[in-house]
Amino acid sequence: MAAFPDINKIKFEGPESDNPLAFRFYDESEIVEGKTMKDQLRFSVAYWHTMRGSGEDPFGAGTMVRPWEGPLDDVPNAINRVKVAFEFMEKLGAPLFCFHDRDIAPEGASLAETNKNLDQVVRAIKGEMQRTGIRLLWGTANLFSNPRYVHGAATSCNADSFAYAAAQVKKALEVTMELGGEGYVFWGGREGYQTLWNTDMKRELDHLGTFMRMAVDYAEEIGFTGPFYFEPKPREPTKHQYDFDAAACINFLRAYGLEKYVKLNIETNHATLAGHTVEHELEYAGHQGFLGSVDANTGDLLLGWDTDQFPTDIYLTTKIMLAFLKYGGIAPGGVNFDAKVRRESFEPIDLFYAHIGGMDTFARGLQLAAKIRAEGVLQRMIEERYSSWESGVGTEIEGGCHDFKTLEKYMLEKGDVDPCTSGRQELFENVVNRYVM
Ligand code: XUL
Ligand code: CO
């Protein structure tokens, strides 16, 4: 029986449509900068939020109405849920999805039993993937929910936790490969610490480096060509997460010789938790050659935690799409909605409204970003701002023709700098508004 019997395939109806179950901007076949919207955006549904989110919070029980969920958290229920997930994704028109191992299948009494459960559900997923053509953007392992990871997984003080996590990632890699997954994500989970009084930071970071190296080696052994993605997040659940932001992650990857294998999965709400913006993180990852994939969501201005809301802000998506286009597109990464409907939005249909809104906002952001780039006004203003580097001493410094002594000589002769020009922030913002407003 269909889980969403009243909902047909969501169609593109254009900006004038007032049908809440239609796209106004996401026309998957529209060509933007030489590719279809579908290929530029590479939308993915996050299994953990969309299929497993209960609406539970620290103050109250779950609220989600999910009529397809059976009374037991067992394999038959998990397999039934797979069918619902694929019905949802097919009707939505999402080409990709992502999961943690523990989202899709229940844990058993032992690792062997858990792996068996996983294999059964994976078989069902494979069938649905073949039926629908929906593909796996990335897989990952949940190394943070079970109490065995109370002190972290790869960075735990307990060597057995490290060993269990290794076994879990080995299996998750096999499963990701079995399903033709295009990537694999490491999000630190509890890889961090609460107090330095009880923590050997160097040892923990060395272990994390060793762990990722083992994953990369095993991937090579089984022929999984990746890419791997490291997902920055500064805090929550621990106070200090080792994968704080793009810069910290890139430094870690280089320090442990992993930079050839691992790129970054940048998440909007994690960027803001780090005191950055997502465009800062994308630009940092992009110019360093580490832009891999995106977890799309947004935080709340007034709430200081990872609220994982669906993105509906055109400025936000325009900035994200400007970064994608600047760095040659997001493939083989994608736009994964690591976002959940609010606890108060508990009906199944809210899942459609949420994803349709997010997809439309990204599609509109893509159109606007392409227009901004095509007209080139902003780019020319930036070039003008840096024009002192296009001749004279600027060209000479960039060309490596100077050192401190020659620059001192130059300035002693000149006496002082050419006057600085205005930064014109307000004008820049007004120009952006010409497109977005
Ligand atoms: C947690 C988070 C994770 C990762 C995958 O904040 O973003 O869901 O994306 O483990
Ligand atoms: Co995420």
Side-chain angles (χ1 to χ4, degrees), residues 74-86:
D74 57 8
V75 170
N77 186 50
I79 289 177
N80 182 54
R81 190 189 292 126
V82 165
K83 302 213 172 87
V84 177
F86 278 83

Side-chain angles (χ1 to χ4, degrees), residues 378-400:
L378 267 185
Q379 184 56 32
R380 283 194 291 279
M381 284 166 65
I382 294 172
E383 281 164 14
E384 176 59 30
R385 191 161 179 249
Y386 288 86
S387 58
S388 70
W389 293 91
E390 296 305 327
S391 62
V393 74
T395 317
E396 290 163 17
I397 294 171
E398 285 193 351

Side-chain angles (χ1 to χ4, degrees), residues 57-89:
D57 76 8
F59 303 96
T63 56
M64 295 298 149
V65 176
R66 302 290 182 249
W68 53 83
E69 287 292 328
L72 294 178
D73 184 19
D74 57 8
V75 170
N77 186 50
I79 289 177
N80 182 54
R81 190 189 292 126
V82 165
K83 302 213 172 87
V84 177
F86 278 83
E87 182 194 335
F88 174 75
M89 292 189 280

